[in-house]
Amino acid sequence: MIFLFRLIVVVILGILVCIVGTIFCLFNPRNPNNVARFAHIFSAILTPLFGIKVITRESKTVKDLGSVVYIANHQNNFDILVGGDVFQKRTVTVGKKSLAWIPFFGQLYYLTGNILIDRDNKSKARNTLSQVINEMDKKGISIWMFPEGTRSRGRGLLPFKTGAFRTAIAAGVPIVPICISNTNNIKLNRWNNGFVVVEMLEPIETKDLTKEDVKVVIDQCYQLMSQKIAQLDDEAQCLNHQKS
């Protein structure tokens, strides 16, 4: 019963926000500030609906950095929801062109200013890195990426792919890791889903690095994030036990 109630309410609210958001963005299309704006709105509306209490910690220095590449662990679709509150201004994501055709959501995704790439066209896919860097240079934007490349779904932090790190090094911008505690225990048929902790780590500089340093940076980020995620899992577990 709880599952059905949530499903109906989420669909209705999601459609309403997408329609209102699309109309709003038509007057200010492709403005990258729109992504953070609607990430915050979706997070504020939906996390209480799912019975999730989110604790967020942002880096104090990130607002002075200019363009950066944010990297976050990706367990399931709840990560995007609970991480929405730390989404910074002028930050966008990179998605497939086909996303633009999803009813309601796709139009908002495009108009908010996210970067769409053609992954089905191999020749164009090879130029994705250049396309993203050009957008960063031209618009002064930051990029949010999931370096695992897929949802881990309870398998722990998966090995990182190179794309986010190659992008940061080629653009000469810092990497900012974002760590999210366990979201795999969130159940749609349970009113209270407890605490999730989201923490933004200090930036990792790349401006003096080359493509030969990619593996070293990947290993550094992976170690930092895996250790921090374990700490956040313990913290969230303690908070949930205190409340139970």
Side-chain angles (χ1 to χ4, degrees):
M1 188 67 180
I2 298 174
F3 174 87
L4 183 60
F5 167 76
R6 276 187 172 137
L7 181 63
I8 292 171
V9 174
V10 167
V11 169
I12 292 173
L13 286 176
I15 290 174
L16 285 175
V17 172
C18 286
I19 291 173
V20 173
T22 299
I23 295 171
F24 173 84
C25 289
L26 285 173
F27 294 95
N28 194 17
R30 306 288 294 163
N31 183 333
N33 283 328
N34 288 335
V35 181
R37 181 176 288 119
F38 285 98
H40 296 166
I41 289 173
F42 276 111
S43 182
I45 292 175
L46 296 182
T47 50
L49 180 61
F50 285 118
I52 306 168
K53 301 175 186 68
V54 184
I55 297 173
T56 60
R57 303 186 187 107
E58 295 183 12
S59 167
K60 294 179 181 178
T61 60
V62 71
K63 289 179 170 52
D64 301 321
L65 293 176
S67 296
V68 306
V69 172
Y70 296 98
I71 57 171
N73 57 312
H74 195 16
Q75 304 161 82
N76 50 53
N77 289 337
F78 287 115
D79 298 321
I80 302 171
L81 185 63
V82 299
D85 204 39
V86 298
F87 227 91
Q88 301 296 305
K89 290 182 178 180
R90 302 196 68 77
T91 300
V92 304
T93 66
V94 180
K96 297 183 293 186
K97 272 190 174 182
S98 57
L99 288 174
W101 298 103
I102 298 175
F104 304 111
F105 171 79
Q107 292 72 56
L108 181 61
Y109 186 82
Y110 171 75
L111 286 170
T112 47
N114 292 293
I115 299 173
L116 300 179
I117 59 174
D118 190 355
R119 288 180 178 167
D120 295 327
N121 187 318
K122 291 184 178 179
S123 63
K124 290 184 179 179
R126 293 190 190 99
N127 295 323
T128 298
L129 179 62
S130 297
Q131 179 184 346
V132 171
I133 293 171
N134 287 339
E135 290 284 328
M136 294 176 73
D137 289 340
K138 183 170 63 175
K139 298 180 180 178
I141 58 175
S142 297
I143 306 294
W144 177 299
M145 304 182 82
F146 294 110
E148 295 162 279
T150 187
R151 299 167 183 84
S152 59
R153 301 192 186 281
R155 292 173 288 172
L157 190 65
L158 300 179
F160 288 169
K161 299 183 182 301
T162 62
F165 307 94
R166 290 170 56 225
T167 300
I169 289 173
V173 301
I175 296 170
V176 177
I178 295 173
C179 299
I180 303 170
S181 67
N182 184 24
T183 58
N184 288 299
N185 56 358
I186 297 172
K187 307 296 181 186
L188 293 179
N189 59 351
R190 182 172 61 196
W191 280 118
N192 181 14
N193 279 298
F195 286 89
V196 173
V197 187
V198 182
E199 184 166 339
M200 181 184 293
L201 306 187
E202 291 303 308
I204 298 168
E205 192 55 69
T206 70
K207 63 181 179 181
D208 295 323
L209 303 181
T210 67
K211 60 183 179 182
E212 282 73 27
D213 298 306
V214 168
K215 186 179 185 306
V216 174
V217 178
I218 288 176
D219 291 342
Q220 179 186 3
C221 291
Y222 189 93
Q223 184 176 5
L224 284 171
M225 290 181 68
S226 59
Q227 290 175 350
K228 177 55 69 173
I229 290 166
Q231 293 173 10
L232 298 183
D233 286 345
D234 290 341
E235 180 183 350
Q237 193 172 21
C238 288
L239 289 168
N240 290 331
H241 284 159
Q242 290 171 10
K243 292 294 183 179
S244 60

